[in-house]
Amino acid sequence: MRFKDQLVYIWAMSRQTPVQLPRGRPRSFDVEAAVERAMGVFWSRGYHATALPDLLRATKLSRGSLYAAFGDKHSLFLRALDRYIADALTRMDVELDPRREPVDGLRAYLAGYVDRTSGANGRRGCLLVATAMELAGQDAEVGGRIASFFKAMEARVAHALSRAKPGGKLADGVEPSSAARILVCFVEGLRVVGKTAPTRITSQATADALLDRFIR
Protein backbone atom coordinates (compact mmCIF):
# COMPACT_ATOMS: atom_id res chain seq x y z
CA MET A 1 0.00 0.00 0.00
CA ARG A 2 1.35 3.37 -1.03
CA PHE A 3 2.01 6.02 1.65
CA LYS A 4 -0.87 8.19 0.40
CA ASP A 5 -3.23 5.22 0.49
CA GLN A 6 -2.11 4.46 4.05
CA LEU A 7 -3.01 7.99 5.15
CA VAL A 8 -6.47 7.69 3.58
CA TYR A 9 -6.99 4.34 5.32
CA ILE A 10 -5.96 5.72 8.72
CA TRP A 11 -8.28 8.72 8.27
CA ALA A 12 -11.21 6.49 7.33
CA MET A 13 -10.68 4.25 10.33
CA SER A 14 -10.59 7.25 12.66
CA ARG A 15 -14.05 8.29 11.44
CA GLN A 16 -15.63 5.02 12.47
CA THR A 17 -17.60 4.68 15.70
CA PRO A 18 -15.25 3.35 18.37
CA VAL A 19 -15.85 -0.17 19.53
CA GLN A 20 -17.58 -0.29 22.95
CA LEU A 21 -15.73 -2.58 25.30
CA PRO A 22 -17.93 -4.80 27.44
CA ARG A 23 -18.59 -3.38 30.87
CA GLY A 24 -17.90 -5.18 34.11
CA ARG A 25 -20.51 -7.47 35.58
CA PRO A 26 -23.38 -5.53 37.18
CA ARG A 27 -23.70 -5.84 40.95
CA SER A 28 -25.97 -8.68 41.92
CA PHE A 29 -27.00 -7.25 45.27
CA ASP A 30 -29.04 -4.35 46.61
CA VAL A 31 -26.52 -1.71 47.68
CA GLU A 32 -28.96 0.22 49.87
CA ALA A 33 -30.08 -2.95 51.62
CA ALA A 34 -26.43 -3.76 52.33
CA VAL A 35 -25.92 -0.25 53.75
CA GLU A 36 -28.95 -0.68 55.99
CA ARG A 37 -27.70 -4.03 57.31
CA ALA A 38 -24.26 -2.56 57.94
CA MET A 39 -25.89 0.36 59.74
CA GLY A 40 -27.53 -2.11 62.11
CA VAL A 41 -24.15 -3.63 62.97
CA PHE A 42 -22.49 -0.27 63.60
CA TRP A 43 -25.51 0.80 65.64
CA SER A 44 -25.31 -2.26 67.86
CA ARG A 45 -21.54 -2.55 68.24
CA GLY A 46 -20.07 0.88 67.57
CA TYR A 47 -17.50 1.75 64.94
CA HIS A 48 -14.31 0.48 66.55
CA ALA A 49 -15.86 -2.74 67.87
CA THR A 50 -17.23 -3.64 64.44
CA ALA A 51 -14.85 -5.92 62.56
CA LEU A 52 -14.85 -6.78 58.89
CA PRO A 53 -16.22 -10.32 59.49
CA ASP A 54 -19.21 -8.74 61.29
CA LEU A 55 -19.98 -6.65 58.23
CA LEU A 56 -19.49 -9.56 55.83
CA ARG A 57 -21.94 -11.69 57.81
CA ALA A 58 -24.53 -8.93 58.05
CA THR A 59 -24.37 -7.83 54.41
CA LYS A 60 -23.87 -11.39 53.07
CA LEU A 61 -21.13 -10.03 50.81
CA SER A 62 -17.71 -11.37 50.04
CA ARG A 63 -14.70 -9.30 51.03
CA GLY A 64 -14.09 -8.41 47.39
CA SER A 65 -17.68 -7.33 46.76
CA LEU A 66 -17.78 -5.21 49.89
CA TYR A 67 -14.55 -3.40 49.05
CA ALA A 68 -15.56 -2.99 45.39
CA ALA A 69 -18.89 -1.43 46.37
CA PHE A 70 -17.89 0.71 49.36
CA GLY A 71 -14.10 1.02 49.40
CA ASP A 72 -13.38 0.19 53.03
CA LYS A 73 -14.93 -0.01 56.51
CA HIS A 74 -14.75 3.74 57.07
CA SER A 75 -16.42 4.55 53.77
CA LEU A 76 -19.17 2.04 54.49
CA PHE A 77 -19.66 3.57 57.91
CA LEU A 78 -20.04 7.03 56.38
CA ARG A 79 -22.64 5.64 53.98
CA ALA A 80 -24.50 4.08 56.92
CA LEU A 81 -24.32 7.33 58.91
CA ASP A 82 -25.61 9.30 55.92
CA ARG A 83 -28.49 6.86 55.63
CA TYR A 84 -29.33 7.24 59.33
CA ILE A 85 -29.21 11.04 59.10
CA ALA A 86 -31.34 11.12 55.95
CA ASP A 87 -33.98 8.91 57.59
CA ALA A 88 -34.05 11.16 60.68
CA LEU A 89 -34.46 14.35 58.65
CA THR A 90 -37.15 12.80 56.47
CA ARG A 91 -39.04 11.80 59.60
CA MET A 92 -38.74 15.37 60.93
CA ASP A 93 -40.05 16.77 57.66
CA VAL A 94 -43.14 14.60 58.04
CA GLU A 95 -43.66 15.55 61.69
CA LEU A 96 -43.10 19.27 61.10
CA ASP A 97 -44.94 19.39 57.79
CA PRO A 98 -45.78 23.08 57.17
CA ARG A 99 -49.31 22.07 56.19
CA ARG A 100 -50.11 21.15 59.78
CA GLU A 101 -50.38 23.46 62.76
CA PRO A 102 -46.84 24.23 63.99
CA VAL A 103 -47.59 23.39 67.63
CA ASP A 104 -49.11 20.06 66.57
CA GLY A 105 -45.97 19.38 64.53
CA LEU A 106 -43.71 20.17 67.46
CA ARG A 107 -45.72 17.86 69.72
CA ALA A 108 -45.46 15.11 67.10
CA TYR A 109 -41.71 15.68 66.86
CA LEU A 110 -41.25 15.36 70.62
CA ALA A 111 -43.65 12.39 70.85
CA GLY A 112 -41.55 10.61 68.22
CA TYR A 113 -38.49 10.94 70.40
CA VAL A 114 -40.43 9.72 73.41
CA ASP A 115 -41.36 6.62 71.43
CA ARG A 116 -37.79 6.05 70.27
CA THR A 117 -36.40 6.41 73.79
CA SER A 118 -38.88 4.13 75.52
CA GLY A 119 -38.60 0.38 76.16
CA ALA A 120 -36.37 -1.71 73.88
CA ASN A 121 -35.95 1.15 71.40
CA GLY A 122 -34.63 3.37 74.17
CA ARG A 123 -32.16 0.79 75.39
CA ARG A 124 -30.80 0.44 71.88
CA GLY A 125 -29.86 4.10 71.93
CA CYS A 126 -29.07 6.39 69.02
CA LEU A 127 -26.42 5.71 66.38
CA LEU A 128 -25.77 9.42 66.04
CA VAL A 129 -25.27 10.07 69.76
CA ALA A 130 -23.07 6.99 70.13
CA THR A 131 -21.01 8.04 67.12
CA ALA A 132 -20.64 11.58 68.44
CA MET A 133 -19.28 10.20 71.71
CA GLU A 134 -16.95 7.74 69.98
CA LEU A 135 -15.66 9.57 66.92
CA ALA A 136 -16.73 13.20 66.58
CA GLY A 137 -13.62 14.56 68.27
CA GLN A 138 -11.27 12.31 66.28
CA ASP A 139 -12.78 12.00 62.80
CA ALA A 140 -13.34 15.22 60.85
CA GLU A 141 -15.69 13.64 58.32
CA VAL A 142 -17.88 12.15 61.03
CA GLY A 143 -17.77 15.30 63.13
CA GLY A 144 -18.82 17.42 60.17
CA ARG A 145 -21.78 15.21 59.42
CA ILE A 146 -22.99 15.26 63.02
CA ALA A 147 -22.61 19.04 63.32
CA SER A 148 -24.53 19.52 60.06
CA PHE A 149 -27.29 17.23 61.28
CA PHE A 150 -27.76 19.16 64.52
CA LYS A 151 -27.86 22.43 62.59
CA ALA A 152 -30.47 20.99 60.24
CA MET A 153 -32.55 19.84 63.19
CA GLU A 154 -32.33 23.24 64.86
CA ALA A 155 -33.31 24.99 61.62
CA ARG A 156 -36.42 22.86 61.21
CA VAL A 157 -37.53 23.32 64.83
CA ALA A 158 -36.81 27.06 64.69
CA HIS A 159 -38.90 27.33 61.53
CA ALA A 160 -41.83 25.60 63.24
CA LEU A 161 -41.55 27.93 66.24
CA SER A 162 -41.38 30.95 63.93
CA ARG A 163 -44.55 29.80 62.19
CA ALA A 164 -46.31 29.64 65.57
CA LYS A 165 -45.58 33.30 66.33
CA PRO A 166 -47.98 35.05 63.88
CA GLY A 167 -50.88 33.00 65.26
CA GLY A 168 -50.10 34.10 68.80
CA LYS A 169 -49.04 30.58 69.82
CA LEU A 170 -45.49 31.51 70.85
CA ALA A 171 -44.95 32.63 74.44
CA ASP A 172 -43.74 36.17 75.08
CA GLY A 173 -39.99 36.65 74.86
CA VAL A 174 -39.30 33.32 73.15
CA GLU A 175 -36.64 33.54 70.47
CA PRO A 176 -37.17 30.67 67.97
CA SER A 177 -33.51 29.83 67.31
CA SER A 178 -32.61 29.71 71.02
CA ALA A 179 -35.69 27.67 71.88
CA ALA A 180 -34.90 25.31 69.00
CA ARG A 181 -31.40 24.73 70.34
CA ILE A 182 -32.81 23.89 73.76
CA LEU A 183 -35.33 21.44 72.27
CA VAL A 184 -32.66 19.71 70.17
CA CYS A 185 -30.40 19.37 73.22
CA PHE A 186 -33.38 17.94 75.11
CA VAL A 187 -34.28 15.27 72.56
CA GLU A 188 -30.67 14.18 72.15
CA GLY A 189 -30.31 14.06 75.94
CA LEU A 190 -33.48 11.99 76.02
CA ARG A 191 -31.68 9.53 73.77
CA VAL A 192 -29.00 9.09 76.41
CA VAL A 193 -31.49 8.84 79.29
CA GLY A 194 -33.44 6.31 77.22
CA LYS A 195 -30.63 3.81 77.78
CA THR A 196 -31.81 3.62 81.41
CA ALA A 197 -35.33 2.64 80.28
CA PRO A 198 -37.38 5.53 81.73
CA THR A 199 -41.16 5.15 81.64
CA ARG A 200 -42.94 6.57 78.62
CA ILE A 201 -45.22 8.56 80.90
CA THR A 202 -42.27 10.29 82.57
CA SER A 203 -40.55 11.12 79.29
CA GLN A 204 -43.75 12.44 77.71
CA ALA A 205 -44.55 14.58 80.74
CA THR A 206 -41.06 16.09 80.63
CA ALA A 207 -41.35 16.81 76.90
CA ASP A 208 -44.76 18.44 77.37
CA ALA A 209 -43.50 20.56 80.28
CA LEU A 210 -40.56 21.84 78.22
CA LEU A 211 -42.62 22.68 75.15
CA ASP A 212 -45.19 24.45 77.28
CA ARG A 213 -42.44 26.91 78.28
CA PHE A 214 -42.27 28.10 74.71
CA ILE A 215 -45.90 28.13 73.57
CA ARG A 216 -49.16 29.55 74.85
Side-chain angles (χ1 to χ4, degrees), residues 133-151:
M133 298 294 290
E134 184 181 9
L135 294 175
Q138 309 166 20
D139 188 314
E141 290 181 280
V142 169
R145 280 167 164 79
I146 294 173
S148 295
F149 172 68
F150 287 148
K151 287 180 182 178

Side-chain angles (χ1 to χ4, degrees), residues 23-119:
R23 298 185 178 186
R25 282 177 21 180
R27 292 187 181 126
S28 58
F29 64 91
D30 186 330
V31 172
E32 289 307 312
V35 170
E36 185 170 3
R37 288 192 288 267
M39 181 178 72
V41 179
F42 287 123
W43 195 347
S44 298
R45 300 177 64 87
Y47 177 76
H48 288 304
T50 297
L52 182 60
D54 301 322
L55 295 170
L56 297 179
R57 281 192 297 271
T59 60
K60 298 179 173 60
L61 298 178
S62 67
R63 183 188 296 260
S65 294
L66 188 143
Y67 279 116
F70 304 110
D72 57 18
K73 172 185 165 180
H74 188 260
S75 297
L76 177 54
F77 179 72
L78 292 178
R79 285 283 296 270
L81 192 61
D82 287 341
R83 170 69 178 270
Y84 188 89
I85 289 171
D87 288 347
L89 292 178
T90 297
R91 187 169 55 240
M92 278 193 74
D93 288 338
V94 172
E95 294 163 346
L96 300 175
D97 190 326
R99 292 171 294 185
R100 68 193 302 180
E101 288 295 320
V103 174
D104 292 341
L106 288 165
R107 292 200 185 281
Y109 164 68
L110 292 175
Y113 269 88
V114 170
D115 287 341
R116 289 187 290 279
T117 56
S118 300

